[in-house]
Amino acid sequence: LSVYLRDRLCLAPVSLDACGLALQALGRPEPGGHAPEVFKVRPEDSLARAARKVLAQQLLKVRANAEGTLLDLDPEYLHDMRVATRRMRSALKLFAPALGPQRALALRLELGWLAGLLGQVRDLDVFIAGLRDQSGRLGDAARVAGALEAELWARRGPARKSLVAGLETKRFASLLVRLETLARSRPPRRPQGMAAQRADGVGPLLLRQAHKRVVKQGRSTVPASGSPGEAATRPAALHRLRILFKRLRYASEFFAPAMGKRIE
């Protein structure tokens, strides 16, 4: 049948699954799409221009995944939207000197609100998927996993309801407009200080600073020795280390197109 369709009807085979074909037919992007080349940071870009390009990249991903998240088409839409939100928060912190510290902070706080809504549902999706993966190995205890999964689904309903309500508010629409306005704004004609430096020159400096913060936090995050005080603070220290690692990773991704092999 495949040969007949190919040779007689000139239908080319495709590698997409049923979901991918349906989304393609509807003209909707699949989750995980790449940002256009125009938004990639170039070596000659000033830090001020690079910052706006990075924001535009991640804002595009938020917009592209918002509808799939609202309709609950696939967990990956929510995942990609959450990751793009995280990257924007990281970019606003990293590029604050080139974007305006007060403006960047205000947008980071609003994105924190959005990240909280996305995170509540995404965490439950991860737990549910993990339980399903493990249920086949649990034998008689699989019924316990089934009961836990049912409880997680029960919690997901209210969390998703809150997420949908948040995405349909004027607050979310206003946040997108504010981010769009900043991403599309022209860099200053005569930027000052770090904002005026080329991306391939200032990138290594910012990456070294991010790396130092990771190393410093890693050295202070030691295994708990058993004392109540250390045991209580260790999870917070590990969480802080995880955040710093993510910021270093995101910064590396932002500057990778401008730095080329030097990023290695």
Side-chain angles (χ1 to χ4, degrees), residues 77-101:
Y77 284 105
L78 171 59
H79 170 63
D80 285 0
M81 188 173 180
R82 186 189 188 194
V83 171
T85 301
R86 280 178 170 174
R87 287 192 170 118
M88 270 199 287
R89 293 177 70 192
S90 182
L92 286 166
K93 185 174 183 62
L94 179 70
F95 297 117
L99 296 172

Side-chain angles (χ1 to χ4, degrees), residues 15-57:
S15 59
L16 295 175
D17 58 14
C19 180
L21 287 172
L23 291 171
Q24 187 180 76
L26 292 171
R28 293 175 177 167
E30 285 192 86
H34 297 288
E37 290 290 325
V38 68
F39 292 144
K40 288 188 176 180
V41 177
R42 298 183 179 277
E44 66 274 13
D45 286 337
S46 67
L47 188 66
R49 183 176 295 279
R52 286 160 174 78
K53 284 186 173 183
V54 170
L55 278 185
Q57 289 174 18

Side-chain angles (χ1 to χ4, degrees), residues 6 29 32 87 102 112 136 149 191 207 213 222 232 236 240 250 256:
R6 182 194 67 194
R87 287 192 170 118
Q102 295 301 320
E149 183 177 341
L207 290 178
R213 286 191 285 269
V222 296
R240 175 64 179 168
Y250 295 155

